[in-house]
């Protein structure tokens, strides 16, 4: 599956700091498809994007025409025929990555076809004649979608050819929400989307204040929850708190005089009085004691931040035993 690159350009970096916001969105992939946009014929990723893109002539001869796109990205969602995947893994035991190894190999090799002689691959006949070399041939004339049929005639109406596999592509509609969650910044962006333009994904309706506050949530005196914010089921907030452009999960206990800005607070989090949280992710069951100040931080599950501590750009988590 491939989809449009988000307008904001999700960052590949792991930080949630302001530095990510200044990055210009780069190209994710260069993707080549057949004219019907059903088959994936070329894909360039990673370091390949820094170089000139080269398309093999054999591909162009096989398909006649190719649609090259730089505004799409691989969504990292694949569906494989099990026997084809197993055959590749058996032959290529050094492959380690679906995206970097298996997918490019399948895309390249799909245009190779075995010539069938009397119902058997030509390579098999060659082996029976004492020659170990398997013969393959690129189909030269395939201007119609039938070039990917399992059995077809050869280029000149000669012996039939057998295609070992085909690489199909599904382009997600622009009306669908499709992004890659592969960094802290992406996680923050997605949460903001869910309480913004993609609010239909939350399953809740926005209030007159353009936010989502669960009916069971409790707000103290003079506490404000701004637009594009979400307060989950059973969460409680003390007096004089302020929440801006943030998501707060279920069953959180938040004291008085707490400020939460551009942050994500997961479920069952306890936040003491006088805390300030900005641009941070607080994982489930974490505890922030009184007067903690966090900016651009990540707090791991179950971690306890001692009273009065101040952190900026830190990842706080319990050490594994």
């Amino acid at each position: 599956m491939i989809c449009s690159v988000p307008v904001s350009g999700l960052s590949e970096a792991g930080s949630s700091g302001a530095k990510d916001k200044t990055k210009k969105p780069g190209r994710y992939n260069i993707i080549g498809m057949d004219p019907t946009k059903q088959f994936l014929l070329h894909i360039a990723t990673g370091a390949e994007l820094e170089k000139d893109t080269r398309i093999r002539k054999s591909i162009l001869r096989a398909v006649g025409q190719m649609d090259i796109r730089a505004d799409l990205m691989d969504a990292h969602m694949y569906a494989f025929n099990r026997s084809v995947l197993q055959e590749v893994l058996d032959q290529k035991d050094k492959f380690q990555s679906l995206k970097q190894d298996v997918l490019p190999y399948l895309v390249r090799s799909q245009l190779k076809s075995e010539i069938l002689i009397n119902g058997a691959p030509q390579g098999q006949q060659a082996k029976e004649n004492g020659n170990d070399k398997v013969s393959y041939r690129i189909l030269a004339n395939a201007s119609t979608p039938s070039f990917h049929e399992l059995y077809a005639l050869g280029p000149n109406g000669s012996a039939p050819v057998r295609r070992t596999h085909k690489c199909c592509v599904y382009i997600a509609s622009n009306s669908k929400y499709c992004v890659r969650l592969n960094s802290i910044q992406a996680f923050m962006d997605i949460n903001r989307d869910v309480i913004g333009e993609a609010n239909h994904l939350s399953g809740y309706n926005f209030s007159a204040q353009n936010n989502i506050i669960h009916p069971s949530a409790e707000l103290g005196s003079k506490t404000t929850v701004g637009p594009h914010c979400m307060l989950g089921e059973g969460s409680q907030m003390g007096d004089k708190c302020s929440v801006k452009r943030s998501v707060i999960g279920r069953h959180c206990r938040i004291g008085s005089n707490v400020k939460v800005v551009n942050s994500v607070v997961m479920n069952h989090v306890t936040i003491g009085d006088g805390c300030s949280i900005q641009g941070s992710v607080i994982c489930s069951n974490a505890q922030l004691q009184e007067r903690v100040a966090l900016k651009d931080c990540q707090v791991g599950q179950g971690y306890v931040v001692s009273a009065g501590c101040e952190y900026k750009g830190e990842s706080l988590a319990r050490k594994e035993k």
Side-chain angles (χ1 to χ4, degrees):
M1 185 171 77
I2 58 178
C3 60
S4 298
V5 175
V7 175
S8 58
L10 293 183
S11 170
E12 296 287 342
S15 169
S16 62
K19 292 184 294 184
D20 291 326
K21 299 176 184 177
T22 62
K23 284 191 174 184
K24 295 181 179 179
R27 292 180 299 183
Y28 284 76
N29 302 109
I30 295 178
I31 292 173
M33 297 174 286
D34 75 306
T36 67
K37 296 182 175 59
Q38 297 181 70
F39 301 108
L40 183 63
L41 304 176
H42 176 82
I43 184 166
T45 63
E48 297 176 277
L49 299 180
E50 305 301 325
K51 306 175 183 177
D52 292 340
T53 298
R54 297 186 178 186
I55 307 296
R56 290 182 300 158
K57 291 182 179 179
S58 58
I59 298 177
L60 295 177
R61 285 199 301 267
V63 300
Q65 182 180 347
M66 186 188 302
D67 183 18
I68 301 291
R69 302 282 294 272
D71 59 337
L72 299 171
M73 70 177 184
D74 178 2
H76 292 186
M77 183 176 289
Y78 314 108
F80 290 99
N81 178 298
R82 181 172 179 173
S83 61
V84 171
L85 182 60
Q86 188 62 55
E87 182 178 349
V88 171
L89 297 179
D90 289 343
Q91 295 176 357
K92 306 290 182 179
D93 56 358
K94 292 184 179 180
F95 279 1
Q96 296 182 359
S97 167
L98 287 176
K99 178 181 176 64
Q100 301 293 340
D101 299 320
V102 176
L103 180 61
Y105 173 78
L106 288 174
V107 170
R108 291 193 306 269
S109 60
Q110 69 177 325
L111 295 178
K112 293 181 179 179
S113 306
E114 296 179 81
I115 304 299
L116 299 181
I117 299 179
N118 297 327
Q122 183 176 343
Q124 181 177 333
Q125 294 256 339
K127 286 184 179 181
E128 292 173 355
N129 294 331
N131 186 348
D132 289 337
K133 183 178 180 180
V134 178
S135 176
Y136 288 98
R137 184 171 181 178
I138 300 293
L139 203 59
N141 181 16
S143 58
T144 66
S146 63
F147 79 93
H148 255 302
E149 291 180 355
L150 187 59
Y151 290 93
L153 291 178
N156 300 314
S158 56
V161 298
R162 182 179 67 182
R163 296 220 167 269
T164 56
H165 65 271
K166 55 187 176 181
C167 294
C168 301
V169 62
Y170 172 78
I171 304 177
S173 167
N174 288 333
S175 64
K176 306 299 182 182
Y177 185 78
C178 183
V179 294
R180 290 216 307 251
L181 202 170
N182 56 357
S183 69
I184 297 296
Q185 182 63 44
F187 179 77
M188 300 285 284
D189 291 341
I190 290 169
N191 273 274
R192 275 192 284 268
D193 287 347
V194 171
I195 53 176
E197 296 180 359
N199 62 78
H200 60 282
L201 297 174
S202 70
Y204 298 104
N205 294 321
F206 270 31
S207 68
Q209 289 73 38
N210 207 25
N211 57 25
I212 300 172
I213 300 178
H214 195 275
S216 63
E218 299 179 12
L219 303 181
S221 173
K222 297 184 179 179
T223 287
T224 60
V225 179
H228 301 298
C229 290
M230 180 174 180
L231 184 60
E233 176 185 357
S235 289
Q236 299 177 359
M237 301 190 69
D239 299 335
K240 299 180 180 179
C241 293
S242 174
V243 181
K244 297 179 180 179
R245 298 180 299 280
S246 298
V247 174
I248 297 176
R250 300 186 299 273
H251 304 292
C252 293
R253 298 293 179 264
I254 300 174
S256 299
N257 297 298
V258 173
K259 294 182 178 180
V260 183
V261 181
N262 285 331
S263 296
V264 177
V265 179
M266 298 188 187
N267 303 324
H268 299 280
V269 172
T270 301
I271 301 176
D273 295 343
C275 288
S276 175
I277 304 168
Q278 182 176 345
S280 299
V281 177
I282 315 298
C283 292
S284 297
N285 298 302
Q287 181 181 348
L288 277 58
Q289 297 179 348
E290 296 80 3
R291 304 181 311 283
V292 167
L294 302 177
K295 184 176 181 180
D296 300 331
C297 292
Q298 298 92 49
V299 179
Q301 182 174 357
Y303 189 85
V304 178
V305 183
S306 301
C309 289
E310 296 184 10
Y311 294 100
K312 181 178 180 179
E314 297 285 345
S315 293
L316 309 173
R318 292 185 295 186
K319 294 182 179 180
E320 296 183 1
K321 297 181 179 179

